[in-house]
């Protein structure tokens, strides 16, 4: 228990201790914070006061950075004791509770806090690790016979995304313009995307990387990961469909990708490890894992249409449906010697479940616009309209313990 | 003319003034330099001596950086006068020639200099802008009927590459391992690539970018580019062929990409602008250019087999063959609001010419291994063997003026 009030349904219990970057009106300098209940806790202030003492961590310097990168680069031997030290500081038995001045300085109501993109992202890679999603999209883009490519069950298919346009939750994005075929068989036209979509994803941030030429062992991959965020991989389906053959998605994706503000650590997620889907054929040895590596994380997609007053839940999914684990993704990514660096972001790909109400994109939920979603107030949608808002949510629950990700929020503004 | 000796066939005449990053045994701090003839000129030393005075440029600070990024971020209004000021400093009438102490400090024989990767690359994008290359590869990967996709003549097809593994000329790379199908129709096996290839490319570095949501006008695109380098986009064809459908190249490419050390500025290339290939169909208005934007840059690919003693020229091409110009690539990349940042790298894709001896990859030169290349000493190659070395070279020549790129050198070491 914490001396700070935490509502029972909060994503940010004392079992979580996520990391993020904040600023406030009083102190606009970006710095590292954790979150508990409805409060951000300024770790830079606690470190300055000499309260965070962990071997290998120069807390006053590391938590005064404008991103998590320096902290993430320190590795698991620092992350684990630091999280435990912070947990202890925020517990009901902590001496901090009686230091009213420091509490007033460091424990900040979340409404008074501005969050920022937590990491400087060097490279961003997106995988395609949900079998249900790959199958659904494959059917729509290439027909039932060519839905799942022969390689799909042998390796985690992935592609490079754009790091510059990864933005923090809350950022508003303009509808992208570009070439798309409006009338089948005719030449493409230039204009705003007519098929704006979202993708429900999660992503891990690389904490410690590997040298060019070396590889990360699948059974040690987890130790290289710092933590996990929710990710909305906004997609302009018409631009994507026209451009993506043969070299993959490009302008249909790189106008913006939103991640949640608070990075939930692998340590906090450890209790929620479960066995992932059965893999057939058996993965090659470099992808073979010796222990369960899927995470039971409940996921939700919510949509508020421009003309509506409330969010409607349009999908309920779970990260555990993902066929290829994060560890397999990281091992595969480096098997050829590709070097990972602190702050690299690896997305799961859309996380669709087996049932129609668990699909992670509008493309799948409306079957490429063949049917409509019915939202609160009788409002209908096939794809996103201008000023529509989306929220992704995710949380774990087990034995009365809740660890969650908060919200990944975004709004689509009209094309410029 | 310069007071420093420049051989007539040097790429680095006084008309060039490229930018790079160097260190020396005496001073291991990375700093900005230019090159002339067989000398690197330490711009940080000249700036420290108060010799580089350009409005908007804090030369002592900017040229003491370990990368070109700060300089590149200053924009064309600074780049152009700075290059002219350096040109003047190095000219035969310059007072610098008589300052023996400063010349000894700043004008360094190239053999005593270590070059480094010139830029911190945020995002790296690779295009696919040679019609000959796209057609050749398309025939081999997908058959004659599906060689050139319907989108190809409407837009510059591109995909995101890996920034972390872009390396400076001279870096040795290990042969990548991964999944590839060894016997057609059978399951993939894990092992070192059996079809290691190179790709002759050029790439531009973004100097000044654009805000997320905005676009760069095709007719102003050149002003956003800082300069151009040679690029070898090493490719493991067997890994690529197995993995690339439907999301594009990934591990077949991201184990390493080599760029030349000296960035040749757009100003230095301006005299070599020529009209590019006729574009049919007519590009959409956002891709329509009002003046010639192709560059007449002669290109050469050289290969030294491990068991040989010399390099053989295996291809002669030219950047002017590229169907989509750099300006069109940058305009297309940002048409959807994607933001470019200082230091982003955009590759042309393999530059193949119309004739068989102008193809830019072994894949095309040996027609996927169907025939062998004959090198000096009667040595033969289909793909690269361990310890083979490659050099890409490029230069412009007109009215007795030569501006070149030096060499982009690499060696393939055995798999680890």
């Amino acid at each position: 228990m914490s001396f700070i009030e935490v509502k029972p349904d909060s994503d940010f219990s004392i079992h979580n201790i996520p990391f993020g970057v904040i600023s406030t009106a009083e102190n606009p300098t970006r710095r590292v914070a954790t979150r508990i209940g409805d409060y951000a806790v300024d770790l830079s202030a606690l470190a300055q006061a000499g309260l965070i003492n962990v071997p290998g961590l120069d807390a006053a310097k590391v938590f005064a950075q404008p991103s998590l990168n320096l902290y993430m680069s320190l590795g698991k031997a620092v992350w684990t004791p630091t999280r435990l030290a912070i947990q202890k500081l925020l517990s009901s038995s902590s001496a901090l509770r009686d230091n009213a001045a420091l509490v007033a300085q460091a424990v900040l109501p979340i409404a008074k806090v501005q969050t920022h993109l937590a990491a400087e992202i060097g490279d961003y890679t997106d995988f395609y690790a949900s079998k249900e999603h790959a199958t659904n999209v494959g059917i729509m883009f290439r027909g039932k016979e060519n839905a799942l490519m022969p390689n799909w069950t042998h390796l985690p298919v992935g592609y490079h995304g754009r790091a510059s346009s990864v933005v923090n939750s809350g950022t508003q994005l303009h509808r992208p313009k570009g070439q798309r075929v409006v009338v089948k068989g005719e030449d493409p036209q230039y204009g705003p995307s007519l098929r704006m979509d979202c993708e429900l994803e999660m992503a891990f941030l690389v904490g410690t990387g590997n040298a060019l030429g070396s590889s990360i062992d699948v059974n040690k991959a987890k130790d290289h990961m710092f933590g996990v965020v929710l990710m909305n991989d906004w997609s302009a389906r018409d631009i994507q469909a026209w451009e993506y053959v043969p070299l993959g998605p490009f302008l249909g994706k790189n106008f913006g990708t939103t991640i949640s503000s608070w990075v939930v650590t692998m340590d906090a997620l450890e209790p929620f490890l479960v066995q992932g889907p059965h893999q057939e054929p058996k993965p090659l040895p470099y992808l073979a894992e010796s222990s369960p590596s899927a995470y039971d994380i409940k996921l939700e997609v919510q949509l508020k249409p421009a003309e509506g007053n409330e969010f409607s839940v349009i999908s309920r999914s779970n990260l555990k449906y993902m066929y290829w684990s994060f560890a397999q993704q990281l091992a595969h990514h480096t098997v050829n010697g590709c070097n990972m660096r602190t702050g690299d972001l690896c997305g799961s790909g859309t996380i669709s479940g087996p049932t129609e109400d668990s699909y992670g994109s509008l493309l799948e939920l409306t079957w490429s616009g063949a049917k409509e979603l019915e939202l609160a107030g009788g409002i209908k949608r096939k794809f996103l309209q201008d000023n529509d808002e989306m929220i992704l949510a995710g949380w774990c629950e087990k034995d009365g313990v809740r660890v969650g990700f908060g919200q990944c929020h975004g709004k689509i503004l009209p094309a410029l």
Side-chain angles (χ1 to χ4, degrees), chain A:
Chain A
M1 292 283 289
S2 172
F3 69 87
I4 299 164
E5 189 207 350
V6 180
K7 298 194 185 94
D9 66 342
S10 173
D11 282 351
F12 304 107
S13 69
I14 197 160
H15 305 281
N16 193 339
I17 313 294
F19 289 81
V21 172
I22 63 159
S23 65
T24 49
E26 292 75 33
N27 178 4
T29 304
R30 296 185 187 197
R31 54 208 192 268
V32 176
T34 188
R35 181 162 170 181
I36 186 156
D38 291 333
Y39 297 86
V41 180
D42 182 341
L43 295 177
S44 150
L46 296 186
Q48 212 76 50
L51 295 190
I52 303 178
N53 299 297
V54 174
L57 175 73
D58 179 352
K61 179 184 174 191
V62 168
F63 292 142
Q65 302 294 311
S67 80
L68 298 182
N69 287 50
L70 182 54
Y71 179 57
M72 295 196 295
S73 74
L74 299 176
K76 194 173 163 59
V78 169
W79 306 334
T80 299
T82 301
R83 177 170 167 271
L84 294 175
I86 295 168
Q87 220 162 29
K88 210 168 156 191
L89 264 177
L90 301 180
S91 71
S92 32
S93 59
S94 162
L96 174 62
R97 66 177 300 170
D98 302 320
N99 186 339
L102 188 54
V103 167
Q105 189 202 342
V107 181
L108 309 161
I110 198 68
K112 297 206 162 177
V113 160
Q114 174 68 50
T115 62
H116 302 278
L117 192 66
E120 276 176 64
I121 297 165
D123 278 289
Y124 153 47
T125 295
D126 200 19
F127 285 90
Y128 192 56
S130 150
K131 194 170 186 175
E132 289 79 4
H133 172 71
T135 305
N136 289 338
V137 172
I139 291 171
M140 284 182 271
F141 274 48
R142 289 177 298 276
K144 216 159 191 169
E145 298 68 36
N146 300 307
L148 215 57
M149 290 289 140
N151 57 20
W152 200 94
T153 54
H154 292 272
L155 53 81
V157 170
Y159 66 103
H160 299 118
R162 179 91 192 164
S164 71
S165 54
V166 177
V167 297
N168 185 34
S169 176
T171 305
Q172 305 191 336
L173 295 167
H174 287 276
R175 177 180 298 268
K177 291 179 287 190
Q179 291 192 26
R180 65 277 190 281
V181 174
V182 179
V183 183
K184 209 179 161 177
E186 285 189 8
D187 274 352
Q189 298 173 24
Y190 167 82
S193 170
L194 303 171
R195 289 162 68 90
M196 265 300 297
D197 198 357
C198 61
E199 287 194 345
L200 167 66
E201 302 200 15
M202 301 200 82
F204 67 85
L205 278 162
V206 173
T208 52
N210 61 301
L212 186 65
S214 73
S215 304
I216 294 176
D217 186 292
V218 68
N219 288 307
K220 291 178 186 150
K222 208 171 54 180
D223 294 348
H224 288 262
M225 299 172 198
F226 175 71
V228 175
V229 290
L230 296 162
M231 185 168 99
N232 189 340
D233 181 24
W234 306 95
S235 299
R237 297 302 179 190
D238 42 359
I239 294 173
Q240 183 188 353
W242 170 238
E243 75 178 355
Y244 91 104
V245 178
L247 299 183
F250 186 49
L251 302 191
K253 300 271 193 181
N254 66 16
F255 58 91
T257 307
T258 310
I259 62 173
S260 52
S261 307
W262 299 101
V263 185
V264 177
T265 67
M266 304 319 286
D267 280 347
L269 295 174
E270 191 79 12
F272 308 99
L273 277 167
V274 292
Q275 187 65 49
H278 175 68
Q279 297 186 315
E280 185 64 46
K282 212 176 123 180
L284 281 163
Y286 81 90
L287 292 172
E289 296 183 273
S290 56
S291 58
S293 63
Y295 293 94
D296 183 1
I297 303 178
K298 293 171 186 68
L299 298 168
E300 219 172 68
V301 184
Q302 304 172 18
L303 169 56
K304 183 161 91 68
E307 68 273 40
N309 301 311
E310 56 181 306
F311 281 92
S312 299
V313 175
I314 61 171
S315 177
R316 289 188 173 85
S317 187
N318 193 307
L319 185 65
K320 73 182 177 188
Y321 298 140
M322 188 167 72
Y323 186 89
W324 294 104
S325 72
F326 282 150
Q328 289 176 316
Q329 291 168 18
L330 189 54
H332 182 65
H333 203 321
T334 61
V335 70
N336 68 340
C338 178
N339 56 326
M340 308 298 295
R341 298 181 295 192
T342 298
D344 287 344
L345 182 74
C346 292
S348 59
T350 307
I351 304 154
S352 292
T355 57
E356 282 185 30
D357 56 356
S358 65
Y359 292 168
S361 64
L362 294 175
L363 183 73
E364 295 164 89
L365 289 165
T366 70
W367 209 252
S368 195
K371 53 188 175 188
E372 289 184 311
L373 277 183
E374 185 150 338
L375 310 174
I379 298 167
K380 290 177 178 176
R381 279 293 182 275
K382 290 180 174 179
F383 290 99
L384 296 174
Q385 300 300 314
D386 290 344
N387 301 308
D388 282 0
E389 290 178 61
M390 306 233 33
I391 285 175
L392 309 182
W395 66 94
C396 313
E397 247 169 350
K398 192 182 171 186
D399 304 332
V401 168
R402 183 173 166 120
V403 167
F405 293 79
Q407 297 186 337
C408 179
H409 174 262
K411 182 175 179 176
I412 296 297
L413 300 178
L416 277 175

